[in-house]
Amino acid sequence: MSENASSPRALLWSLRPGARTWRCEPAPVEVRGFHAALPGHSPTPLTELPSLASELGVGRVFVKDESCRLGLPAFKALGASWAVHRTLAERTTSGREPGPVTLVTATDGNHGRAVARMARLLGQRAHVFVPQGVHPRAVAAIVAEQAKVTEVSAPYDEAVRRAAEAAAGPDAVLVQDTAWAGYEQIPRWIVEGYSTLCAETDEQLAAEGVVEGPDLVSIPVGVGSLAQAVVTHYRSRPSGWAPALLSVEPEAAACVLESLIVGEPVSVTTGDTTMAGLNCGTPSSIAWPYLHSGLDAAVAIPDADSARAAAHLGALGVSSGPCGAAALAGFRAVLTGVGAEERRSALGLDATSVVVLLSTEGAAANPNSTADH
């Protein structure tokens, strides 16, 4: 691992050579069919932005636009829907008493709203714990899904702890998108749900003539569950081209970057960030082995870079919030400034490379006081 400097400030960056040779098992094939059968489901757009490719010196840049996924302004519905489906099915086959259960979760915004939406559609209850720093409009959107909301005057990790305590009863179940020792099955289902996004991207790229897949994928990261899904998708191919995978976090909550530098999962003290959905202090336990082995690089960015990227994407016709725009901001940070050519070479990029930016939320997903959408 290495750290490089970028003018006028140091770039928080790490590199792991050899990640593209690591392999793992693929996601279950039935996930895609489950999502296709849901009411209102359709693939989200993959939008090519030639001006970004020209700016950053690569061949083609595509943005996977998750601003409307199953009627919600973020990708999280993919994981929540599959996990809730599997959870309720397991309860039925285990012979538990029939009747509604309370789906409990903690959230920085998007995941909690997705769980609440699934609970409402399936006739279940939802109880969502929200940490400090989440915009009142994002909280109101969860309430509008008929969920009970408990606001916690503490960071995300504490909200997760409170949610786990609240889910201890017999008629409640924790549907959390991060894992720890002793709580891993439901987070694993959530990660499986995200595989649909990756499969769609491959098909859409092929339709654009990119048959072998992208050369680099840039992924916004909180606890690392989406990144785990992306690593699983691209590192489960037995042979053929494997893309470089770049994770992007806020400087105020760079738990994955810090863990990669240290070489083991660590918790960090989080600060304030407009990238509310990425404001997480501890990597998911099930994600960590995939992130450690399968990510080529990780970068942390300031809020100002994310805001600029969101405005740029908006001007190009892609609705993106601070978290979604982090994919562009991180990629841009890596390919500019002092040391950029070395980083470009390390990631195997040149003027013909195809890049996919995962814009994980639309502008309406996590509104904030400094960029009120």
Side-chain angles (χ1 to χ4, degrees), residues 330-346:
F331 181 59
R332 179 180 274 150
V334 167
L335 291 196
T336 58
V338 175
E341 287 307 312
E342 290 86 347
R343 294 189 291 270
R344 183 185 298 264
S345 176

Side-chain angles (χ1 to χ4, degrees), residues 30-281:
E30 62 266 28
V31 178
R32 185 84 185 279
F34 166 79
H35 285 135
L38 292 176
H41 174 269
S42 61
T44 56
L46 185 73
T47 303
E48 184 168 11
L49 299 177
S51 63
L52 283 181
S54 177
E55 173 200 338
L56 296 169
V58 295
R60 304 176 77 178
V61 171
F62 295 87
V63 177
K64 184 62 170 164
D65 178 0
E66 292 291 313
S67 61
C68 186
R69 172 68 77 172
L70 288 165
L72 294 174
F75 78 105
K76 292 285 190 175
L78 290 173
S81 59
W82 177 247
V84 169
H85 164 72
R86 291 297 308 270
T87 297
L88 296 179
E90 289 273 317
R91 289 180 68 87
T92 299
T93 58
S94 68
R96 302 216 183 177
E97 288 292 321
V101 298
T102 300
L103 306 177
V104 184
T105 194
T107 186
D108 280 320
N110 296 326
H111 171 71
R113 186 177 179 186
V115 170
R117 170 69 62 88
M118 290 304 301
R120 179 171 64 79
L121 293 177
L122 296 172
Q124 311 296 326
R125 299 181 293 261
H127 186 182
V128 180
F129 287 76
V130 179
Q132 63 190 17
V134 177
H135 194 280
R137 292 211 334 244
V139 177
I142 299 170
V143 173
E145 301 290 348
Q146 302 174 16
K148 176 183 177 181
V149 172
T150 298
E151 297 190 57
V152 179
S153 299
Y156 174 80
D157 286 1
E158 176 61 15
V160 171
R161 189 189 68 79
R162 292 275 301 276
E165 288 180 350
D171 296 323
V173 60
L174 184 67
V175 184
Q176 196 58 56
D177 55 347
T178 187
W180 55 88
Y183 180 75
E184 295 183 331
Q185 182 57 73
I186 290 174
R188 189 171 288 112
W189 287 332
I190 289 172
V191 171
E192 289 175 358
Y194 298 153
S195 64
T196 291
L197 184 158
C198 300
E200 284 180 8
T201 300
D202 279 357
E203 290 181 359
Q204 291 166 323
L205 285 173
E208 294 287 342
V210 185
V211 178
E212 290 191 346
D215 297 293
L216 180 138
V217 181
S218 181
I219 316 150
V221 168
V223 298
S225 294
L226 175 61
Q228 179 186 351
V230 176
V231 169
T232 298
H233 181 77
Y234 288 110
R235 302 297 186 240
S236 60
R237 298 173 174 178
S239 61
W241 175 248
L245 302 178
L246 170 70
S247 74
V248 185
E249 297 170 280
E251 288 183 350
C255 64
V256 169
L257 174 61
E258 183 63 25
S259 297
L260 290 171
I261 291 171
V262 173
E264 62 183 16
V266 297
S267 296
V268 300
T269 300
T270 59
D272 294 330
T273 174
T274 55
M275 291 172 271
L278 309 181
N279 195 6
C280 306

